[in-house]
């Protein structure tokens, strides 16, 4: 994996002249493997490969050296391929020249991962360090201990989970990023709303979405888990908090208020809230969540458009319900006057 | 008006023993005056008097010394009465002993005003001074000048207007309070969202609701004005900003973005937005508005319940769509451990 | 309490000639007691008394022999009064001649309770006996043990709770009645839908609403409890089932499915479901719940109208969204042909 | 048609190795025939052929021996083809070797029909025999005669119609199956709800959807008919019942109640009900309809997934608004203890 | 009934000095009669009397000469009373001096009827004459004959029915007025939309609401009838048209289109349409209906406000969803320039 | 451009025998030009060409004589091509033989324009002449001058703009056509509703949608402009009217009413109205707009189906929410009897 620079992304492969016959190398995620049997009785596989820029499918026949490799790999595996550009019936379908698996260890030490799946733009380690400080900022010892117990319980998975499958912060580390951003916003706002208990509110922010660690499954390819489909992240998060609070013996008045923040943070029943926010802290957390979720959509659209967007407006965004203006305000000209 | 302490509020008058016959003095707001004619051809008035604790109606006949006084007073006038407690058919209906008008000047120098209508809990002068500082914090000179021009235009009325007729910050100075609170919140959050232009966003916060100065009318008794009913505060505020921006010659790119914040701040079309927020600043202002509006409802419920609320929960609140838990979290016991 | 026959209900008291001056006896529920202070400094109480046919309020002054009695009684207490009919300002306001408390024990042995609050028309003991048989009909030992553990936990309160504050089966024993009716319906239907696991479905029926035992509070006067307002009966019932299942060590696959029935039984998110039904058993229970809830509304309207209803149609019923035709179909005439 | 076993379904044809050149035989439904003219002036046809597993389109030119055959066949006709596997531009496009029509008579005596269109899993004849028994179970002679007259009127078409185009029981015999299932459910429940007149309710169940016989058209390919689009099955069913009731001279009170069941069975106005259910029988039928419709969706998803489903959950189902858990509960392990 | 001028309306009675003791005469509608029994066993009646300006209730005891009169009168009867002004517990409760029934014949020849119930402002006879001309304007003989047959069937009742219980044209003759106004509008618009068949559209306009003649009952006091509650005016009107079309042997294509106009004229399913408009004529009639309904609300608000309305805006109107500006535009000043 | 008859539309090109190799000529609109770079470093363009019957994309390489032409043309340009039929991977991809630009001047004098984009069926010049007469029909001089000033301001663009991007009158000149049709309808109806001021209503009709001239951009290819996205046509039209009224010094009462018509004409807040109609004129214009919009959808469906539509019903139309019956009523047969 020395020469990552020469690896092509799917977008780059598709940008090649379709009528050409280039060879290329690429590191790709195995999104799906389906076993089939040809009319002559021979088995073959249909393999979908991709990265964060796109994907394509191709057949791997039993006499191919890659057949065994893809048979053993599962959804979410990673391979390095060399191939010759080819199209079959209008769809990219390269001829495999070689294929070798990339192990989790190799990935961990490489910049390739960032090409496979979209990742939070901020450094995950720095976010996690900051996150610890937000926990430490809870002054009430039992509330702090409860929050700590939740994260001791769910551990590493919180760091890499996305905050959603398709909406705001829907990318690797997105849950950590969203929660950390909410903690920053909450701590900036709490001095302005003294009727909101700062310890409960900050704790509520930190744990509000932890149920998503169970609701979503898959390291590189995210889907909803069985528990996610049968209970939903609101109830799952409530259960995590309840378990931690019981363990820590958090006073029942406080535990009930903390659970209530989790149960109500989705804002409206039809958006999945189990109940409507009925404490100052719960109203506050639900609104900070809504604000950062919407701002996260804005940030992602601007980031994907880059510094000099080709279009003045984005496509219509489902979550914002509008097309976002992508160009910056022309404040420089004016202030230079 | 020397002895304000001995004046009774409507709530206090109604708390008197109904079967008693006390006399009392009170300063009250004239809410409505209706002219009628008795069967014998004599004119009489039905006058509704009240303060922020309640109201009652009574007839004033042509031979009463107060008849001329109430004929000349209009909705929104203020009177000092002395009367003898009486009930007529289950409704408070005191016998007037004397009635004299209170002038705007007298009111201005008195603590009585605060008894007549609900007022923002924070000091209006301090809020206004702080408000000037928020305007001054806009660094872009033309944007700042535009905001200044809006407030030069609408002047004093912004200081006393309520932010709503029946929902959040729906009391005297409520608009100033809500806007100032939003400016505080916006300035606390802006460092966290660098893709939001701070000058445009702060300017947007300060002017977003200025159309309400025209939408609402009446100094002490608030109703919607003709322009409010025919155009709505969103379009009226847009027009104020447009006029100011044209006068100041704000660059069209910036003026368009500032106008857009006003047009979109209500969030959803069905809540009265003319368009959906489509710039980072407009999304930001709409969400900060929503957050402070909801927190304002929380604050008012807690304030009205007092330190030791009689009930654990408020009545169901239409805006919050829930009953608010009124008691404070029991964090003291725990932290003392 | 020998002569219950001569006790008048509130409806009967109000039916007396207003201008008369009859004396009467009545056993009534104390709905609310408010302490006030008269202008002369003497304390008095405003007491609201009622039964299932109506209510009225009256003042009890400090020099009344009943003053101490009502001071000690709380919301939900029961009294026997003798009084002289009187009206004050168009409202029933009898003159108390005597008042004595009725203890819970006295009530238990008397037919009076049925006059104070609306009660399920079926005998509560018979319903409870039948209910045990429904539990026993669950063949899977661990599922049955889980259900048994839930009812061991909540105990007696399930027997008397209403199924709602204002809608279907909203009366004493209504929850027991509704759940028993659902069990009957489910057991009649299960042979027709073999893809529904009968043990899980029957268990789901029996426990689906148990959270209401915590959501509602008050023996004779029902309101929502703090936990009801902060968590809702869906989450509270889920927690009861989870606790019982853990205790009994129910296999996780089965416990998850049973919890899912509770979490999804409200049908739609906006009606309070935490998730949408996603197992055959959950779809089945949600639909049987909806069917018996609607039929319960029909039954109550017909019961209250009596055999020969004065009107052909009921008032518009909020839950049914229609006026119910109250007369029976004329099938007799035809069949006699 | 001797060797049906060797006929391939469309799914099986598509599973052949695309790069192979097998020949195969198949019996297929003509879904659509479009006449076109080539640039050289020669006419050709685009013919869409399919069965319940899929479909494909191919051109038939004027010089093909099959040209006359497809010219004469209409949408809904059936053919037996022999062909050589071929793909044209990524789409299955076999080369026709021979094609011959299958007559309705041939179909009637063959197992092929079940391969062409999805059919109710239960035997249609057995369902129909049972259906007669449900009619016979109505004790009131005039109500029973009215129901009989409806089915005498619409005759055979009721037996084969689907219950919907795209939702529950949307397959051949689906209407008969759904109605029969509802009759079973209703008769199981009626003893539990004595305020529901059993004869009216059962009659209502049997006739509630008969308007669909007119609303849908086409024997093997179902679309909405003109009357279906202009009146809808609710009004059409009402008209059928009204006509039958008038003929039988059913007492007006009973006919009106029976018509009301048909008019209200869709439950809500926005789902197509002409009025909201306002009799005990109408509420009952609407709820039993809803229950069996939802359970029919569950049954179809489980049936299509088979005994050992490849996925734990179905795709999201529009009618259930969820992904259904397809695996059975693991009750065996536990009960074997 | 010579001196109608001296009869007082309820509004005028209530405007009398409450403390006075005038006697007055009035002709009033009996809205409700309830039989009661006093404690002493004597029967008495509670009678609600009113006219279009208001109503009041009073007791009539068995020893009153009016007791027999009110016992024999039913809801909707009319009486002439002489009485002495009195109030009982804050409610108007005159002392009856005499009461005599007014027969339908007497009413017919008197201007009193217009005081009892609100009536269409246009002359009913003129409207009816015009209405005949609209029928005659249908050129297609069978369509015209069908429309004629509908009105031959329902006869006189169409002339006096209101168009609604509480919304547009909700007053005596309102249905005739609304339908005639729609016919005027349709005939003015038809030349502009040549794709709309004028005969079908005009016929559709004339019969679209005829079901209301059955849906509403009561001559002077309007409620929904049993058939109205069980079938609704859309289906009832469809049935009337179908019966007439069958009788006249209108071609099935045309009858189906005419029925479709009736079934779809409510516009949306949730507003009661059985199907959505799917012919040019049905779209046209639904939109003309909507236009005239809304304009009828405007006309009624302006009419009730009079030439010089006391308020600039009406109260918020439920149907218009706004407060209507009641003053006329100041076009005179400008045009005089 | 002599031989327009021999030019093929895209629909005609696609109807050619795919396996043939015809050459053809066509005049087409450039819908989109995208610059790409081949693997070998050579630039090429992907060009989307189309007319009102369809479109296709093809690559133009750097060595093609057409490369410079398409580099210089922008979205919305027009070209005449000669090409040889070819398909590439199942998509039309002709081989370009020659390409030359068509200038705006050439287009103006040719019938080709009508083939490129859908156009209002009525003659644009005749519509514009009629439109002037509607302006002239406003009798009030200042209102008329205001309307004239609006059209002086926006000028030519009003004549060619579509009335929508995807719904009613969504084609070239569609805005002029819709507005003219509304003026005809309004003038036909105004004599029937004398409470509507005819000058204000007619002026409101003429200017109500003028904001669309700014909201939409592009001569032949229509998209929403920046101002359209940030302010919406309602506010933009309001601003146009306000500017014109200020210039003409229209009396404020009248200007406010005219502005209100523009602000409210969308009918409901969720459809984009800034306020709900609150004057007789605004209610009237909103309803006439709704009527003509719906009728415009009907007209377009019938026009596109032609005299003898192949199908009895249209596809389901999003705006009408139904499938339209396309065949004419059979009134001839009947009347000939």
């Amino acid at each position: 994996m020395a020469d990552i620079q020469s690896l092509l992304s799917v977008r780059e492969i598709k940008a090649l002249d379709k009528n050409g016959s280039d060879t290329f190398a690429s590191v790709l995620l195995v999104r799906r493997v389906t076993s089939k049997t040809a009319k002559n009785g021979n088995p073959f596989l249909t393999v979908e490969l991709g990265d964060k820029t796109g994907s394509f499918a191709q057949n791997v026949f039993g006499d191919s050296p890659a057949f065994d490799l893809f048979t053993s790999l599962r959804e979410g595996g990673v391979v390095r391929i060399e191939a010759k550009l080819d199209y079959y019936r209008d769809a990219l379908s390269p001829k495999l020249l070689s294929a070798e698996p990339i192990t989790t260890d190799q990935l961990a030490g490489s910049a390739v991962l960032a090409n496979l799946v979209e990742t939070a733009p901020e450094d995950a380690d720095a976010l996690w360090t900051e996150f610890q400080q937000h926990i430490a900022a809870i002054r009430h010892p039992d509330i702090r201990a409860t929050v700590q117990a939740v994260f001791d319980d769910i551990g590493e998975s919180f760091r890499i989970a996305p905050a959603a499958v398709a909406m705001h912060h829907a990318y690797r580390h997105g849950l950590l990023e969203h929660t950390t951003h909410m903690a920053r916003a909450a701590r900036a706002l709490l001095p302005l709303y003294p009727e909101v208990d700062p310890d409960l509110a900050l704790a509520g922010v930190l744990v509000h979405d932890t149920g998503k660690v169970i609701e979503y499954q898959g390291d590189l390819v995210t889907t909803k888990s069985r528990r996610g489909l049968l209970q939903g992240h609101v109830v799952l998060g409530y259960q995590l908090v309840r378990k931690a609070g019981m363990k820590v013996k958090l006073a029942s008045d406080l535990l009930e208020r903390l659970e209530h923040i989790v149960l109500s943070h989705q804002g409206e029943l039809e958006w999945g809230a189990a109940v409507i926010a009925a404490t100052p802290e719960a109203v506050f957390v639900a609104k900070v969540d809504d604000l950062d979720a919407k701002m996260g959509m804005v940030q992602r659209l601007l980031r994907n458009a880059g510094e000099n967007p080709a279009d003045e407006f984005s496509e219509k965004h489902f979550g914002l319900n509008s097309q976002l203006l992508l160009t910056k305000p022309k404040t420089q000209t004016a202030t230079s006057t």
Side-chain angles (χ1 to χ4, degrees), chain A:
Chain A
M1 305 257 310
D3 49 359
I4 285 172
Q5 265 60 19
S6 69
L7 295 172
L8 296 193
S9 70
V10 174
R11 188 190 289 144
E12 289 164 335
I13 298 170
K14 287 186 173 171
L16 296 175
D17 179 356
K18 285 183 179 179
N19 299 316
S21 61
D22 307 286
T23 62
F24 62 87
S26 190
V27 172
L28 299 168
L29 186 60
V30 180
R31 291 196 195 278
R32 185 179 287 264
V33 177
T34 318
S35 299
K36 295 183 174 177
T37 304
K39 189 71 191 304
N40 59 15
N42 293 337
F44 67 99
L45 305 171
T46 298
V47 180
E48 188 183 339
L49 299 172
D51 60 16
K52 74 179 181 187
T53 69
S55 65
F56 59 89
Q58 70 180 128
N59 290 342
V60 178
F61 295 94
D63 51 2
S64 158
F67 185 83
D68 287 345
L69 169 61
F70 286 112
T71 301
S72 67
L73 278 174
R74 304 192 331 170
E75 203 172 287
V78 179
V79 290
R80 184 186 193 281
I81 63 167
E82 292 186 9
K84 184 172 169 189
L85 184 67
D86 198 14
Y87 274 78
Y88 181 69
R89 302 188 192 287
D90 205 24
L92 177 63
S93 178
K95 282 215 174 76
L96 270 191
L97 301 179
S98 71
E100 51 177 318
I102 304 292
T103 65
T104 309
D105 288 351
Q106 285 175 300
L107 264 186
S110 135
V112 159
L113 183 57
N115 298 326
L116 292 180
V117 289
E118 192 180 349
T119 305
E122 295 184 49
D123 179 68
D125 290 332
L127 282 169
W128 185 241
T129 302
E130 177 184 340
F131 194 82
Q132 306 302 323
Q133 296 165 350
H134 291 306
I135 297 178
I138 302 171
R139 292 162 306 169
H140 191 290
D142 290 354
I143 297 177
R144 186 174 63 244
T146 300
V147 172
Q148 190 60 56
V150 169
F151 289 96
D152 291 347
D153 186 5
I154 59 178
E156 195 64 359
S157 52
F158 180 77
R159 292 186 57 176
I160 59 173
V165 168
M167 292 288 281
H168 73 95
H169 302 89
Y171 42 76
R172 195 173 171 85
H173 301 304
L175 184 57
L176 172 61
E177 189 192 60
H178 169 52
T179 309
T180 307
H181 285 188
M182 274 181 66
R184 291 178 197 166
R187 294 178 69 184
L189 290 169
L190 280 166
L192 305 178
Y193 297 106
E195 51 286 303
V196 176
D197 182 86
D199 286 347
L200 273 175
L202 182 52
V205 163
L206 297 177
V207 303
H208 82 289
D209 258 354
T210 45
K212 287 186 176 171
V213 164
I214 305 172
E215 188 181 28
Y216 302 143
Q217 68 188 0
D219 194 25
L220 297 177
V221 177
T222 302
T223 57
K224 286 207 175 180
S225 68
R226 172 174 161 149
R227 291 183 68 194
L229 286 164
L230 293 186
Q231 309 204 338
H233 85 270
V234 167
V235 167
L236 290 168
Y238 154 79
Q239 192 61 37
L240 284 171
V241 169
R242 181 164 186 78
K243 195 171 133 197
M246 304 286 270
K247 184 178 160 200
V248 168
K249 300 198 194 331
L250 180 63
S252 68
D253 171 65
L254 300 179
L255 179 53
E256 200 170 42
R257 288 172 189 257
L258 189 56
E259 290 167 3
H260 175 68
I261 295 175
V262 177
L263 289 172
S264 65
H265 80 267
Q266 293 283 97
E268 303 285 343
L269 295 186
E270 54 266 46
W271 303 341
V275 285
I276 301 296
T279 64
E281 294 76 29
V283 173
F284 178 81
V285 173
K287 287 291 124 188
V288 171
D289 189 11
D290 189 22
L291 180 145
D292 190 66
K294 286 287 194 309
M295 292 311 297
M297 296 173 198
V298 168
Q299 292 170 325
R300 192 182 188 190
L301 283 174
L302 292 174
R303 194 162 63 235
N304 290 344
E307 271 301 295
N308 295 298
D311 296 307
E312 194 174 16
F313 283 86
S314 73
E315 294 296 304
K316 183 156 186 177
H317 186 280
F318 183 73
L320 296 174
N321 195 22
S322 69
Q323 297 181 256
L324 190 74
L325 182 59
L326 298 170
T327 56
K328 293 195 173 175
K330 297 179 186 148
T331 47
Q332 294 319 105
T333 321
T335 51
S336 66
T337 314

